[in-house]
Every structure is written in structure tokens, then in C-alpha cells.
Amino acid sequence: MSSAMALSSSLMRLGASRLSSMMGLARVASSSSMSNSSSSMSSSFSSSSAASLVTTSLGDAPITIELPRPYDTHLCEPPSTTVTTTPAEIEKFFKTTYLMRRMEIACDVLYKGKFIRGFCHLYDGQEAIIVGIEAALTWNDSIVTSYRDHCTHLGRGGNVKEVIAELLGKAPGCSKGNGGSMHMYRKETNFYGGNGIVGAQVPLGAGLAFGHKYRNDNCVAITMYGDGAANQGQIFEAMNMAALWDLPCIFVCENNHYGMGTAEWRSAKSPEYYKRGDYIPGIKIDGMDCLSVKQGFAFAKEFALKNGPIIVEADTYRYHGHSMSDPGSTYRTRDEISGVRQERDPVDRMRKLLIDVVGTSPDQIKAWEKELRKEVDDAVEFAKNAPLPPDAQLYENIYVDGKGIEARGVEISNVNVLG
Amino acid sequence: MKNTMAGMASISLPLPLRARLSILCCGGGGGSMIHGFGRAFSSSSSSSSSSSSASGSPTTMHAAINSAITHAMSEDPTTLVFGEDVAFGGVFRATTHLREKFGPRRAFNTPLSENGIVGFGIGVAIAGHRAIAEVQFADYIFTAMDQIVNEAAKCRYRSGAQFPAGGLTIRAPYGAVGHGGHYHSQSPEAYFCHTPGLRVVMPRNPYDAKGLLLASIRCDDPVIFLEPKALYRTAVSDNVPTEAYEVPLGKAEVVREGNDVTLVAWGAQVHVAEQAADALREERGATVEVVDLRSLLPWDAETVCQSVSKTGRLVVTHEAPITAGFGAEIVAEVTNACFTRLESPPERVCGMDTPFPLYGESLYVPTKLRVLEAMKRVLDF
């Protein structure tokens, strides 16, 4: 196949998903009673997560929405495409995705201004996945993800200040400044971190799932990776063990269609990632739609608790390049990127639902946006003015007895804080 | 000459050593790599454990290891043991009867997936378990290198201490057995010693194996525990207590005292060192201070430097290839800390810089005679 032909076939695939997602918004129904369908999911909904990153003001009268895209499945029956939600939940989805978007854009600016050093991978475009997951799961469920983890931290109850402070290597950062962009953690809500090595978090997720099964706590472990990492050998090792031992593990392939600069079809013999567990059932969801993700993960959690591991492929798109050194425009066309922005954007989808279904006024939405932008701006200022970690921290937390370790190769004049 | 060296050592510390002391001696914290520098030069004080006879019985190394794991699993219900064929007792029988005693949920077989085993082990460890992972041969550990070096060792640091993988202990049999060939004979300790955040532990006999393994499992740092497979059945300690005990991590042991040469080794090579020490005494009447490092990371530089300050001469011997082997680190540290004490250039007697050979193993491994020759060179310098 010539590369031109290949490129056009990949565009066609993206185009097809675009087309199907366009159909959706019109088919919305409002109802005062609970939806009759997708019954098996409702119990999971009610156990959705604790404290929210954003506050909501709208009501909680149930409404049902028909998803524009059906679920594709492998070795399992798909969940219903009728989702039950509330105005308040849509408001929350909108505010959270918007806040994440603004945070990632702020990170881009901070990186270009040389405030953030090292490596930085942005999540804008993919926000609906984390927002939908957190709507379907609880913080007692574990989550471990790749280096694209800023928004995962927010989803787990972190705030913008501690994310940006971490990116700047400052003391109030969520990992005390030690982790940086790729290593955010939140112990109190079972966020087991971002991970700098492609695919390396996936076996950890299998271990976390074992912990849940061992404790019999009715929780699952979410272990996330991208379409590039899907070709890592250790993922197949982890899947084999998880299936062998029926672990409550949800393998999540965030398919943004490019592993760094390589399109999925150039690196994967089969880019149908939800089928690549072979003996492990899978489901493909629209990763650009919070509601599709929520419904899909409620299904996946119930399935995993009952049957063992499941793969969820979230069809998504990243607007930025892979990392900050990648302009993101050399291996895909600007038309492709702007097409996804116009037709599938997860923030816009929630904004449209607010206007078309809930009846929120555009002025109200603008006022929320202004508040959220201010929250990000304040966090940037906070992080810029925050102190660096103490020198001592360079030598701490290497071993359990954090003090008194000789840091070889360090200037003696700096070693003033041991003991 | 040899006697005066011993006398001098007790008078004053060599200057570089003392300079380090003032910076690094930090209230005697348990984790200090350089322990208690204020202590007098008394090497015998640390040599008590193995030689002191407790209410023990003759025990082989694999039985001692089994006993340590049994204690660990009895005392902490979160403790798991897993690896290739471990539920069936493992290829060296170190995990026999554990499945019968503790059930298949706590002692189980894994697929032949070293990277997956270690990654999974880190996961269960950060989820709060004591995880004892077995890599069937240390030669197979390299597929798990990324998980060990980039994940296990760095979890604590990069998460601001929120998620240590300290519950993880990776056991792996290492070393020459006479016929192992390329991939059942290697000594990979130096690779891991280059990784802050790990502990690397290598026992030389059943007593230490039990005490060090129990200390490793209980330790809240990830530990690479390398077992000399040649000794699983051949080494017997008479004094292995049936109850639980620990041999401290990070502490070397002076196996025998001497005044003329310090000979440092670890694992199975300590036995070669002792034979060489006997031979030197017979030939020259010179006495050798044999130091078993026991923990390689963090390592007990204090005990080694104290000994060299007394003897003035250093020979290090290990099975792994010489270039960038752990002996290089010891020689560099001792040269720096004990420069004014040294009577001769330190020597290393190690494996060759070749793949571990299928034939000619006896030429590759550092034998008693090669160690003996090196000790004569440092004496005759």
C-alpha cells in the first residue's frame, strides 16, 4: 500500500467515527422517570465517586439520552445505549472537562515559557475518558495510568494548584515536586500514579487487581495505556495473568490513534485493541463522550467483578503532539485535527447538551467558564510563587529510613540536612 | 610491618575517613550506610551472629530459605509467594509445602513471564502486601530489568513517599554451579547496585540466608535477594534456630580476623576466600581478615575500611566479570577513605570479561589459587 493510500484509509476510519458521532445530539429524549433500559448499570451509578472537583447548581431530575454511537464488543453483550443522567451531572461533566482543558492549555504556555522542564504530555482532547470513568467508579477502585496523567490526578480529587506546582517541581506539588509531569499520585483516593515508561504500569494494575480480589472488597483496578503501548510485551503478560486468576482488572486502551508520531495501522497488525486480549472480553466506547464512557465503565466494572478482566478501548484523540517536542502536525493533517475539534470535542458535546437538553443559557455557561479560567490562572500564579522543595528532599525517600543515607556524588556543601 | 599496621589503626582514623565521618555520621540512624563511625575499631563485635550458637539444628540453605518464608507468611497474612513453579516447591525446592500450609491464594505459580511477575509484584506490594517473587534463575531477571530499575526502585522517591514498593522481595538463584553454562551461572549483582532505592543482599550460608531473607521480607525497601544456587544443598549450618530471627541488612560480617590482608567477598565466594586464607597462612604464616559483605547495596563501607585501616592491604573477589563489577566500587571507596593506610595497590580477583563459558568454567571463576596469588602480590609489593 502506498503511503498516500494508507493515509487516506486512516482518514476514512477517523471520518467514519466522526460521522457516527455527529448523528447523536438530536436523538435526545427527556423523561422524568428513570430509564427502563440498561438496568444492570444503575446500581453502579448510585455508588459514583465522592467529593467533586467542581460544584454544581443544576437539579438532579433524571433525564435519558440516547448515545449516538453503539458499543462494539468482543466476547460479551454490549450495554444499552440509553444513558440516564441529570442536569447536575452534565453541568459537572462540562465544568470538569473545561477545567482540564484550560489546565492543559496553561501547561502548554508554562512549558513554552520554560517554567516546566523535562517532559510533558498533555491530555486535551481525551478529557471525557477520565471524567466518565470517575462518574462510573468510586475512589475505592484503584487507578494507574501512563505519563499522560495530569487530568487523572484531577479526576481523583486533586486540584489544579497541586498539579501545576508538581509540574514546576515545587514543594506543594502532589508528589512534593519529586515526580513532575509523569509521576502524579494521590494515595488517599487510590491513584497509583502516572508512569514514565511506556506500558510499565499495566502489570502493576494486575497486581492492584489481585489486591482487590484478595481483600474481597468488591472493587476493581483500572490500568490504562495507549495504542502505542498496546504493542508492549508486558501487557500481554499482565493480561494472561489477570485472566488466569480472574482478577477484577479493567485494561483501558486510550486509543488516540497515534503512538508518538506513528499511526495505529503502521504499528499494530490489528488496531482493534478491544479484541487484542484474545480470550479477554472487550468493549469499544466513544472516548470523546463522557456519557458513553460512564455507561461503558459501569458495565465494565460490573463485568470485571463478576467475570474477571475486560478490555475497554476508548476511541479518542489528542489535540497536542505526543509530548512538547512534537508539534503534532507532521504525521497528520491540520484538517484532521480541526475536524475532530469541530465534530467530536468532549467539552463542546457537554456544552451543547447543556444548551439543547438542559436549557442552560449561554451567558450562564460563559460565567462558569470565566470562573474556571480564573481558577487555572490562580493556580499558575500559586505555583510560580510556591517554594522549591528543601535541598534535603533530593536525598530523602530513596530508602524507607529516609534520613542518613549517603548521597554519593553530591557536593558536600549541600549535604547539610541529613539526620 | 603487619603488626605495626594493626597498632596504628587503633590510634587514629585516616583523614579522609574522618572527614566523611563528620559529614555522614548522622545520629546513628538505622538506615545509615556508614554506621556508627564513632565506634572503636573492633571488627569482632559484628561477627557474632553466625558464630553464636543458638538452639538450632543442621539445616541446608534451601530449608533455611523455606523456613524464613514460612515465618513471614505465618506472621503476616498479606504475605504472598509466587513465581514459576513455586507452588510445586520451586526448581530448587525452596518453596516446598507452602501451598499446603498457606493455600493456593498465597502461594501460587505464575506464567513464565519475568517482567510480568515483577510488575505484578510491585503492584501487590504497593497495594499493601508483602510480596515474595521468585525469578527462577538470576540469569532470567534481565527481562524484568525495567520494572526493577525504573519502577520498584523509584516508586517511593517519585511519589513523594506515597507509594513505596517496599513490600517486594525478589529472590533469584545466582552463580556458578560447575556446569550451568551461559544462562544458569551468572552473578548479576552489580547491575542492581547501580540503582539507588534497591537493596541487594547475598547470603553465604543457611544461617545468614534465613536471617537475611526474613529481614529482607520485613524491610520496607524493595530487595533483590540473590541466593548462591551451588549452596542450596551443599551448605549446612548447624546453628539455624527454628524460630524467626533477623540478620541485619547493610551490615558486613568479619568472618575471621587477621592482620595482614583484608579479603572481601560475598555469597558463595566467601568459601573460596576462606580456603585461600587457610592456604596463605600455611604458606606464609600471614593472617587474613575475611569480610563477608552480605549486603551489597547499601554496603557496609565502615567495616571494610576499618579492616583495611588495620591490615593495609585489600583483595576483593567475586564471580561476576571484573570490569564494573562491585569490586571496583569497593576498591575505589577504600582507596579514597584509607589512602594513607594502604601498603599496596588493592587487587581484584574476579570472573573474566567474557560471557560465562559453557566449557572451561574453572578457568573463568576466581579460584582459591588465583585469590592466593593476588594476596601474595599485595604482601610482596
Side-chain angles (χ1 to χ4, degrees):
Chain A
M1 193 193 295
S2 76
S3 65
M5 278 174 64
L7 188 61
S8 69
S9 93
S10 108
L11 283 175
M12 276 171 62
R13 264 175 238 159
L14 284 165
S17 38
R18 252 182 248 156
L19 207 64
S20 56
S21 71
M22 285 170 69
M23 304 187 301
L25 285 175
R27 287 197 286 135
V28 161
S30 186
S31 128
S32 56
S33 63
M34 273 298 282
S35 158
N36 52 358
S37 61
S38 71
S39 48
S40 60
M41 252 57 38
S42 50
S43 62
S44 300
F45 288 176
S46 59
S47 64
S48 70
S49 58
S52 171
L53 184 63
V54 296
T55 55
T56 56
S57 54
L58 300 180
D60 53 6
I63 47 178
T64 58
I65 290 178
E66 191 65 24
L67 295 175
R69 279 175 69 178
Y71 295 102
D72 298 322
T73 57
H74 170 64
L75 303 180
C76 62
E77 288 300 313
S80 163
T81 50
T82 305
V83 184
T84 304
T85 181
T86 64
E89 186 175 64
I90 296 172
E91 179 191 357
K92 181 179 164 185
F93 287 171
F94 168 74
K95 285 181 170 174
T96 314
T97 50
Y98 185 81
L99 182 67
M100 290 173 175
R101 176 70 53 84
R102 297 308 305 184
M103 182 181 77
E104 294 296 70
I105 289 168
C107 292
D108 185 39
V109 174
L110 286 166
Y111 194 91
K112 286 170 179 157
K114 293 189 164 46
F115 288 98
I116 298 173
R117 310 313 299 264
F119 286 76
C120 182
H121 311 78
L122 301 179
Y123 201 65
D124 50 329
Q126 304 183 204
E127 299 95 336
I129 299 174
I130 235 28
V131 172
I133 287 177
E134 296 298 358
L137 270 58
T138 77
W139 286 342
N140 292 325
D141 299 303
S142 304
I143 188 164
V144 62
T145 188
S146 73
Y147 40 79
R148 210 176 295 283
D149 66 345
H150 307 169
C151 296
T152 319
H153 189 79
L154 293 191
R156 280 280 143 159
N159 61 47
V160 184
K161 280 182 180 172
E162 60 195 18
V163 169
I164 295 186
E166 186 60 38
L167 284 159
L168 269 58
K170 296 295 185 70
C174 52
S175 303
K176 300 179 185 166
N178 269 34
S181 169
M182 302 193 280
H183 302 299
M184 305 203 169
Y185 298 82
R186 200 158 192 272
K187 189 182 174 81
E188 58 267 45
T189 52
N190 291 299
F191 173 33
Y192 287 82
N195 196 305
I197 301 294
V198 172
Q201 71 282 1
V202 180
L204 268 69
L208 295 172
F210 183 96
H212 287 303
K213 188 180 172 92
Y214 192 87
R215 294 191 297 272
N216 199 20
D217 60 7
N218 223 29
C219 290
V220 297
I222 302 276
T223 183
M224 305 177 77
Y225 56 98
D227 50 301
N231 299 314
Q232 276 269 329
Q234 58 188 322
I235 288 177
F236 297 92
E237 298 187 26
M239 284 179 178
N240 182 47
M241 283 190 269
L244 201 59
W245 301 328
D246 297 328
L247 302 183
C249 188
I250 305 179
F251 293 91
V252 183
C253 178
E254 293 184 274
N255 181 5
N256 61 28
H257 302 283
Y258 296 91
M260 296 193 285
T262 304
E264 56 183 0
W265 61 269
R266 289 179 193 270
S267 61
K269 181 67 183 170
S270 164
E272 292 185 302
Y273 298 100
Y274 67 106
K275 293 182 179 173
R276 285 183 54 173
D278 184 9
Y279 39 79
I280 298 181
I283 175 172
K284 184 176 180 179
I285 64 177
D286 181 359
M288 305 296 272
D289 180 354
C290 296
L291 293 170
S292 172
V293 177
K294 179 182 89 159
Q295 181 99 323
F297 271 86
F299 166 80
K301 177 175 176 177
E302 191 170 296
F303 185 94
L305 285 173
K306 202 182 293 175
N307 307 299
I310 183 169
I311 297 175
V312 178
E313 176 185 348
D315 177 10
T316 187
Y317 201 81
R318 69 167 145 75
Y319 295 151
H320 269 89
H322 162 73
S323 68
M324 302 312 293
S325 58
D326 169 17
S329 54
T330 53
Y331 47 85
R332 53 187 190 178
T333 63
R334 292 196 184 280
D335 284 350
E336 179 185 306
I337 304 169
S338 60
V340 176
R341 277 188 187 277
Q342 279 168 25
E343 291 154 23
R344 297 182 63 201
D345 185 81
V347 184
D348 282 350
R349 176 161 167 76
M350 289 304 116
R351 188 188 280 113
K352 282 178 197 157
L353 279 180
L354 280 172
I355 293 170
D356 298 348
V357 179
V358 179
T360 312
S361 75
D363 285 346
Q364 173 66 72
I365 293 175
K366 283 204 175 72
W368 288 338
E369 290 177 349
K370 193 176 167 190
E371 268 173 45
L372 295 165
R373 282 200 304 273
K374 182 170 185 311
E375 184 177 341
V376 173
D377 291 344
D378 289 350
V380 169
E381 278 313 298
F382 167 82
K384 282 182 178 173
N385 295 322
L388 287 166
D391 286 354
Q393 200 173 296
L394 276 176
Y395 328 116
E396 286 177 345
N397 297 325
I398 296 168
Y399 293 95
V400 58
D401 191 347
K403 309 275 189 188
I405 296 296
E406 178 185 11
R408 286 160 176 260
V410 173
E411 279 293 315
I412 282 173
S413 59
N414 287 342
V415 189
N416 53 8
V417 275
L418 300 182
Chain B
M1 187 62 192
K2 39 199 172 201
N3 290 335
T4 52
M5 277 305 302
M8 282 170 68
S10 60
I11 296 166
S12 66
L13 285 162
L15 201 56
L17 196 60
R18 197 159 53 183
R20 299 186 78 113
L21 191 166
S22 58
I23 299 154
L24 299 170
C25 182
C26 22
S32 172
M33 184 183 291
I34 310 257
H35 292 269
F37 254 125
R39 217 174 62 195
F41 277 172
S42 158
S43 51
S44 58
S45 63
S46 65
S47 67
S48 52
S49 56
S50 306
S51 48
S52 70
S53 179
S55 59
S57 56
T59 308
T60 58
M61 183 166 286
H62 74 86
I65 287 164
N66 187 281
S67 172
I69 298 172
T70 303
H71 284 302
M73 296 185 82
S74 302
E75 73 190 13
D76 182 348
T78 73
T79 306
L80 310 172
V81 61
F82 50 90
E84 296 162 14
D85 282 353
V86 300
F88 306 146
V91 69
F92 291 106
R93 318 308 300 156
T95 54
T96 45
H97 305 309
L98 294 175
R99 183 175 59 173
E100 290 77 0
K101 281 180 192 151
F102 301 104
R105 293 176 75 226
R106 297 181 61 196
F108 49 91
N109 292 334
T110 64
L112 277 60
S113 311
E114 286 77 13
N115 199 11
I117 292 169
V118 175
F120 169 84
I122 296 167
V124 290
I126 62 180
H129 286 262
R130 296 276 152 198
I132 308 167
E134 178 178 300
V135 172
Q136 198 169 59
F137 283 84
D139 310 65
Y140 307 165
I141 208 168
F142 299 108
T143 53
M145 204 68 181
D146 175 68
Q147 288 290 352
I148 295 170
V149 171
N150 279 329
E151 312 307 325
K154 296 175 175 61
C155 285
R156 179 186 297 281
Y157 191 75
R158 73 184 187 203
S159 70
Q162 292 182 79
F163 288 113
L168 178 65
T169 300
I170 301 170
R171 296 176 43 244
Y174 87 94
V177 287
H179 54 270
H182 307 103
Y183 301 118
H184 297 82
S185 306
Q186 297 175 80
S187 298
E189 67 270 19
Y191 296 98
F192 303 107
C193 292
H194 205 60
T195 307
L198 295 180
R199 288 179 180 270
V200 179
V201 178
M202 297 171 78
R204 74 167 189 282
N205 62 25
Y207 180 93
D208 278 4
K210 180 172 174 179
L212 287 169
L213 181 56
L214 205 50
S216 297
I217 294 165
R218 291 171 176 172
C219 174
D220 283 330
D221 294 318
V223 179
I224 308 290
F225 193 86
L226 297 172
E227 299 162 4
K229 65 170 113 46
L231 303 185
Y232 273 128
R233 289 174 179 283
T234 56
V236 177
S237 291
D238 293 334
N239 58 346
V240 177
T242 48
E243 61 270 22
Y245 63 93
E246 290 188 28
V247 172
L249 303 182
K251 296 290 285 180
E253 181 185 3
V254 176
V255 176
R256 64 167 77 181
E257 294 188 42
N259 293 319
D260 305 305
V261 182
T262 298
L263 179 56
V264 179
W266 48 89
Q269 192 65 6
V270 175
H271 302 284
V272 177
E274 289 196 272
Q275 291 166 19
D278 288 340
L280 188 70
R281 191 180 56 225
E282 282 170 25
E283 281 196 29
R284 296 283 187 96
T287 59
V288 180
E289 185 139 301
V290 178
V291 179
D292 175 6
L293 219 47
R294 299 198 293 201
S295 287
L296 278 78
L297 189 68
W299 69 286
D300 186 357
E302 179 203 3
T303 296
V304 176
C305 289
Q306 282 176 347
S307 176
V308 176
S309 292
K310 179 173 71 172
T311 64
R313 300 177 185 85
L314 173 67
V315 174
V316 185
T317 179
H318 57 67
E319 282 183 23
I322 186 166
T323 299
F326 199 68
E329 178 63 31
I330 296 171
V331 168
E333 179 65 21
V334 168
T335 305
N336 181 280
C338 307
F339 188 66
T340 58
R341 292 287 180 195
L342 285 168
E343 296 290 324
S344 64
E347 286 253 5
R348 289 177 288 158
V349 187
C350 307
M352 293 189 287
D353 285 344
T354 68
F356 196 99
L358 180 62
Y359 70 93
E361 180 175 314
S362 58
L363 299 174
Y364 173 94
V365 295
T367 55
K368 175 182 84 173
L369 288 177
R370 280 172 61 198
V371 176
L372 179 63
E373 291 306 310
M375 288 195 292
K376 288 181 192 170
R377 284 196 297 276
V378 300
L379 278 173
D380 297 340
F381 180 77

